[in-house]
């Protein structure tokens, strides 16, 4: 497959900027709305499937948590599927930041792009 392209980065930024804004505002339902109905979600807790699992996960996160990301690689596997591999960092008001690798598969549906798969990996430094 081809490497990172500007079009694929734009697709990812559209989706991930919405995700970041909802995470930063501590709006779990808004975070979940950026995922497909059947999304596979793997944060730093046991995985879940679907928007309710995503909302529950982000509702459990502390107030004041903020997200940032940097796209490292993209791959387009089909017209409606873009993979993103990212550096992500979550900052908190009362503890050290958590740096992770994040892989997302975004899918184009009738009304826009959504996260269909989300997987965080925490690598020991």
């Amino acid at each position: 497959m081809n490497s990172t392209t500007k079009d694929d980065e734009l697709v990812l930024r559209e989706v991930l900027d919405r995700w970041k804004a909802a995470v930063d505002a501590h709006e779990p339902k808004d975070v979940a709305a950026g995922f497909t109905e059947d999304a596979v979600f793997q944060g730093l807790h046991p995985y879940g499937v679907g928007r309710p699992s995503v909302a529950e996960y982000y509702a459990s996160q502390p107030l004041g948590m903020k997200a940032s990301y940097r796209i490292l690689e993209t791959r387009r596997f089909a017209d409606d599927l873009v993979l993103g591999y990212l550096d992500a960092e979550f900052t908190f008001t009362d503890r050290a930041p958590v740096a992770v690798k994040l892989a997302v598969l975004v899918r184009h549906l009738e009304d826009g792009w959504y996260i269909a798969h989300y997987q965080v990996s925490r690598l020991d430094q």
Side-chain angles (χ1 to χ4, degrees):
M1 292 285 152
N2 60 346
S3 62
T4 299
T5 69
K6 291 293 180 198
D7 287 344
D8 295 344
E9 279 194 31
L10 288 173
V11 166
L12 287 170
R13 288 190 193 289
E14 173 190 323
V15 173
L16 293 168
D17 286 351
R18 284 193 323 256
W19 165 81
K20 176 189 171 9
V23 168
D24 290 358
H26 195 73
E27 294 291 343
K29 288 182 182 176
D30 291 346
V31 176
F35 287 74
T36 61
E37 294 284 351
D38 62 348
V40 176
F41 180 85
Q42 176 66 64
L44 292 176
H45 302 295
Y47 87 98
V49 176
R51 289 178 177 161
S53 292
V54 174
E56 182 180 328
Y57 179 86
Y58 282 103
S60 74
Q61 298 304 312
L63 291 173
M65 182 182 83
K66 306 284 186 206
S68 63
Y69 70 89
R70 182 172 61 95
I71 297 171
L72 300 173
E73 294 286 335
T74 68
R75 301 289 186 274
R76 186 174 291 250
F77 292 108
D79 289 343
D80 65 341
L81 291 173
V82 176
L83 172 77
Y85 184 65
L86 312 106
D87 276 330
E89 184 176 75
F90 296 91
T91 57
F92 304 89
T93 59
D94 61 348
R95 62 181 170 190
V98 174
V100 298
K101 298 296 185 190
L102 173 60
V104 293
L105 183 65
V106 298
R107 182 173 183 202
H108 191 266
L109 302 177
E110 191 174 293
D111 60 343
W113 290 93
Y114 294 88
I115 300 170
H117 178 83
Y118 176 108
Q119 181 158 356
V120 164
S121 297
R122 188 169 182 182
L123 306 177
D124 292 330
Q125 302 299 330

